[in-house]
Amino acid sequence: MTTDAGHNDEFYLRLYIGHKSKAYGHEFMEFEVCPSGNLRYANNSNYKDDSIIRREVSLGPAVVKELKRIIRISEISTVDDEQWDTPPMSARQQELEIKIGNEHIAFTCAEIMSLADIKDSRDPKGMTVLYYLTQDLKCFIQSLINLHFKIQPIPS
């Protein structure tokens, strides 16, 4: 990825993890950080007739800068998905799309549930980078959503 001195590079991030099944329909977790700094989050689980959860929040420059830092240190820009198998449409899959400045990368693969899922793949190193980055991004974004939309205040 190109380096930037500030947070003014165009930035876009999208992570989707989901599947479609006859029993529960389309279940997924997705978030998107737009160039405007808006974070859109959606989580759809039809387990016990749950409904879709949608949240939107504006991120400050420091948060966007931290997301860029997480992405850069992951070295995801060095990964090539040419050897990765295309997931069947019926399988759980994940998609990651990142744009920072002039660099744009996108990956689609079967969902990686654990490191054991990738040890026998044709590109375990690249898939390991993807696995750790998606875990870091999910934890970071879900923490932001949980903190921002906390229903009861945290006792002091």
Side-chain angles (χ1 to χ4, degrees):
M1 300 239 161
T2 58
T3 59
D4 76 30
H7 57 80
N8 294 329
D9 283 347
E10 183 178 352
F11 178 67
Y12 176 80
L13 168 65
R14 178 179 167 271
L15 177 65
Y16 164 91
I17 300 172
H19 72 282
K20 294 178 183 175
S21 71
K22 290 181 181 179
Y24 297 112
H26 186 199
E27 294 186 305
F28 65 92
M29 186 279 306
E30 178 179 39
F31 63 80
E32 175 181 54
V33 178
C34 300
S36 63
N38 285 345
L39 164 63
R40 288 188 287 213
Y41 171 84
N43 192 333
N44 188 37
S45 171
N46 293 320
Y47 179 71
K48 294 189 178 181
D49 295 323
D50 281 349
S51 60
I52 191 166
I53 299 167
R54 292 187 189 276
R55 300 285 187 261
E56 188 166 340
V57 65
S58 292
L59 302 178
V63 174
V64 173
K65 186 175 180 179
E66 180 62 12
L67 281 168
K68 289 180 185 180
R69 188 191 71 76
I70 291 168
I71 292 165
R72 282 197 179 96
I73 66 170
S74 75
E75 298 184 356
I76 192 71
S77 64
T78 65
V79 173
D80 183 357
D81 63 350
E82 188 174 310
Q83 295 182 27
W84 298 1
D85 294 329
T86 303
M89 290 305 293
S90 61
R92 297 182 65 91
Q93 64 181 10
Q94 66 185 45
E95 301 169 7
L96 176 65
E97 182 178 4
I98 300 168
K99 182 176 187 326
I100 299 179
N102 294 328
E103 185 152 11
H104 181 244
I105 55 176
F107 300 101
T108 300
C109 66
E111 182 179 8
I112 305 168
M113 301 292 283
S114 71
L115 290 174
D117 294 342
I118 61 177
K119 67 179 181 178
D120 295 327
S121 73
R122 290 184 282 173
D123 181 20
K125 183 178 181 211
M127 295 197 84
T128 300
V129 170
L130 179 68
Y131 173 78
Y132 281 121
L133 176 58
T134 57
Q135 292 301 310
D136 289 346
L137 292 172
K138 283 191 313 186
C139 288
F140 189 80
I141 295 297
Q142 288 175 333
S143 294
L144 289 172
I145 294 295
N146 289 338
L147 287 169
H148 188 77
F149 292 100
K150 189 93 173 141
I151 295 172
Q152 295 181 359
I154 299 171
S156 47

